[in-house]
Amino acid sequence: MKKILLLLSVLFIGQTAFAQLATPEEIGEMLGKGQNVEAVKAATALYKKNKKNPDLICAIARQFLANEDFDGATDFALKAQEASKNKSAAAHLVLGDIWYAKDDAGNATQEYLQAIELDPNDPTPYIKYANVYKDKFPNEAVAKLEALAAVRPDIDVNLLIGRCMSKGNHMKRAVLAFDKCNKNAMDIDDISDYAFAAFMSGDSKKALSLADFGATKNDTASVFPRLRLYALTTLGENEKAIEASKTLFATIGSNKPNFLDYQFLGSALNGLGKNAEAIDAFNQAYSVAPERHEILTKIAASYSLMKDFDSAVSTMDKFFSIVGAEAETFDNYSTVGDIYMAKARAIGEADTLGLQADSIAMQKAIESAFEAYDKAIAKKPNSFLGYYNKGVAQYAFHNPEGALVSFGKAAEIIEASGVNKPYLKAAYSYMGNCHKKLGDVETGKEYQAKADAIQ
């Protein structure tokens, strides 16, 4: 009887000890609660009972990694390597992830390469390797994924490349890869990435088509009406864009529209001449993202479209005051110039309405426009557009001499670059008209002929 009781006692103690061993997930919970000492004790006890199980030891390491305890993660990853006699691809994956979390790309990729060598059929280390290089070295990332195709022809590597290039912000390359995939086999996230990449690479028509396709797969996902809003606005289909915004806002329910949602809605409203509503939308964007002060430039442009030029100028002044030196860019100074030019034109239009134009106010607006364009040119002296915009303003307000100089400089820059031929054609045509206004008809004809020769 004593022997039986002793045996039962030993079994009970053994079962109790076994029951007290924590799982990797429970160890992770301890770490998440800040119970580090208890977690290390539990992990050590679990390891001692499983010294020959590298996969379980790797699972322990991952719990430490998930809680940013890199020392603990490294310790157990190395124990997993030892348990496998350095033949565990999983251990190298953990070590690679640790290095990557520590922003050490070189050591991370070396560990991933070791994992590939040990298990060349596992796509995970290829994907992780590509992820490291996707931002700055996309060719290296793509090459590694293409190497996977040689050993795993059953995997759609183009889909992996599309995902990788999309995350690396190489949108045109992402689209080229996604184009090779069967979109009917894609999941919703891949379709949305495909559509977004198309939009960001400038192909709004493809983005719209993909958004429409995605909506047939899932009509409750907000990403597709959102992309429809963005693409339709960019394509100038403003009525449809506003309808898409209504669908989007209904779809997201209690979630707030984001900054870009309101921004594109505002642009669509402006496109329909609903400038006051556009300003409301832009102000909503500003309230959602108060750090995005650039939206003030769109509000200013909307006021200008309403011919409320004082509000437009004061809004730009507010923008420059808030942002400071960072606001002093080519685009922002060009916006100011455009506002003053619109003001000068509006004053000049008073004559056509039988009213007396305020010549002093118009001249002041013109001078302010030229001053803004000159500031824009100073920011980008090698850009043709600043000179071109100033030339248009000079020509419109009867300064052919100044316009000839500005268009000449614009043409010089365009000729040297070999691009932007439509602007070169227009510049030559303006120069021809300037010469004619100055009485040099023959030279004017020569420039017009140069303009006509550009197809």
Side-chain angles (χ1 to χ4, degrees):
M1 186 65 179
K2 289 183 179 180
K3 289 183 178 180
I4 293 173
L5 291 173
L6 179 61
L7 179 58
L8 289 173
S9 176
V10 170
L11 287 172
F12 177 78
I13 292 171
Q15 288 172 350
T16 302
F18 179 77
Q20 289 175 343
L21 289 176
T23 65
E25 291 74 17
E26 289 169 339
I27 293 168
E29 289 176 6
M30 294 178 202
L31 290 166
K33 294 176 182 178
Q35 299 170 345
N36 292 41
V37 174
E38 294 87 340
V40 170
K41 288 181 179 178
T44 302
L46 183 59
Y47 162 69
K48 287 180 178 179
K49 291 290 184 178
N50 296 274
K51 287 186 176 181
K52 294 184 179 181
N53 188 340
D55 290 339
L56 181 62
I57 302 170
C58 283
I60 298 171
R62 287 211 169 274
Q63 295 299 329
F64 281 91
L65 175 58
N67 287 277
E68 297 185 354
D69 183 341
F70 300 140
D71 290 339
T74 301
D75 180 43
F76 282 101
L78 292 174
K79 283 179 167 64
Q81 270 193 334
E82 182 182 0
S84 69
K85 298 182 180 179
N86 205 25
K87 293 182 180 180
S88 170
H92 284 291
L93 279 175
V94 177
L95 287 167
D97 291 350
I98 294 167
W99 285 118
Y100 183 67
K102 293 165 70 173
D103 294 323
D104 189 330
N107 278 313
T109 52
Q110 287 304 308
E111 293 295 342
Y112 296 145
L113 287 173
Q114 288 290 319
I116 291 171
E117 184 176 335
L118 288 166
D119 189 359
N121 292 316
D122 181 7
T124 304
Y126 295 88
I127 295 170
K128 288 180 178 289
Y129 182 99
N131 182 62
V132 174
Y133 283 117
K134 67 182 186 302
D135 300 309
K136 296 182 179 179
F137 303 100
N139 290 341
E140 181 73 18
V142 170
K144 187 56 63 180
L145 291 172
E146 287 175 340
L148 173 62
V151 294
R152 290 293 303 274
D154 58 308
I155 292 177
D156 188 349
V157 170
N158 286 311
L159 187 61
L160 299 180
I161 292 172
R163 290 172 181 168
C164 183
M165 292 297 97
S166 176
K167 290 176 182 175
N169 203 31
H170 304 288
M171 297 306 184
K172 289 186 177 180
R173 296 189 71 163
V175 171
L176 289 173
F178 282 133
D179 281 345
K180 299 174 185 177
C181 302
N182 177 8
K183 69 179 182 181
N184 290 299
M186 288 183 176
D187 61 28
I188 294 299
D189 287 342
D190 288 326
I191 296 170
S192 64
D193 284 349
Y194 188 8
F196 184 74
F199 178 75
M200 292 300 293
S201 62
D203 194 342
S204 293
K205 287 184 178 180
K206 177 174 280 190
L208 180 59
S209 175
L210 288 165
D212 289 342
F213 173 74
T216 66
K217 298 286 186 180
N218 186 335
D219 61 1
T220 63
S222 61
V223 64
F224 299 121
R226 175 169 282 130
L227 278 165
R228 291 192 83 251
L229 167 61
Y230 297 0
L232 286 165
T233 302
T234 305
L235 292 168
E237 297 186 40
N238 298 307
E239 290 279 9
K240 292 181 180 179
I242 291 172
E243 288 304 311
S245 75
K246 293 176 182 177
T247 302
L248 169 63
F249 293 172
T251 301
I252 59 180
S254 60
N255 296 321
K256 285 186 177 181
N258 65 37
F259 176 85
L260 288 177
D261 298 341
Y262 284 122
Q263 178 178 296
F264 276 100
L265 173 59
S267 296
L269 289 165
N270 266 338
L272 294 173
K274 299 179 179 181
N275 310 121
E277 292 179 49
I279 290 171
D280 288 341
F282 292 140
N283 278 320
Q284 288 275 23
Y286 203 15
S287 68
V288 169
E291 75 283 358
R292 300 289 297 271
H293 304 297
E294 70 272 16
I295 199 68
L296 290 170
T297 65
K298 293 188 178 295
I299 294 173
S302 299
Y303 277 123
S304 183
L305 290 170
M306 296 172 67
K307 298 189 178 181
D308 183 353
F309 302 110
D310 290 342
S311 293
V313 170
S314 65
T315 301
M316 286 303 297
D317 287 344
K318 176 182 177 181
F319 170 67
F320 282 110
S321 175
I322 293 172
V323 179
E326 290 183 8
E328 297 173 4
T329 67
F330 175 89
D331 289 340
N332 293 331
Y333 281 129
S334 294
T335 296
V336 174
D338 292 344
I339 290 170
Y340 278 114
M341 280 306 301
K343 181 177 182 178
R345 287 192 180 95
I347 295 171
E349 287 171 0
D351 278 339
T352 65
L353 298 174
L355 303 173
Q356 185 175 1
D358 186 341
S359 59
I360 295 176
M362 183 170 71
Q363 186 59 37
K364 186 176 180 181
I366 293 169
E367 290 172 359
S368 296
F370 290 167
E371 181 182 351
Y373 287 138
D374 284 339
K375 288 180 178 179
I377 289 169
K379 291 297 177 180
K380 278 189 178 181
N382 296 320
S383 170
F384 76 90
L385 193 56
Y387 299 101
Y388 183 89
N389 288 339
K390 185 178 179 180
V392 171
Q394 290 168 315
Y395 185 85
F397 289 97
H398 316 297
N399 182 2
E401 296 95 337
L404 194 58
V405 173
S406 296
F407 285 124
K409 184 63 177 178
E412 178 186 329
I413 294 172
I414 296 170
E415 287 169 348
S417 68
V419 295
N420 297 302
K421 292 296 179 69
Y423 278 98
L424 182 59
K425 182 181 181 75
Y428 283 150
S429 184
Y430 271 118
M431 292 174 76
N433 289 333
C434 287
H435 279 293
K436 290 175 184 177
K437 286 179 180 293
L438 293 169
D440 190 351
V441 177
E442 290 304 314
T443 303
K445 288 180 179 179
E446 290 176 9
Y447 273 101
Q448 188 57 56
K450 291 178 72 171
D452 294 340
I454 297 174
Q455 300 300 319

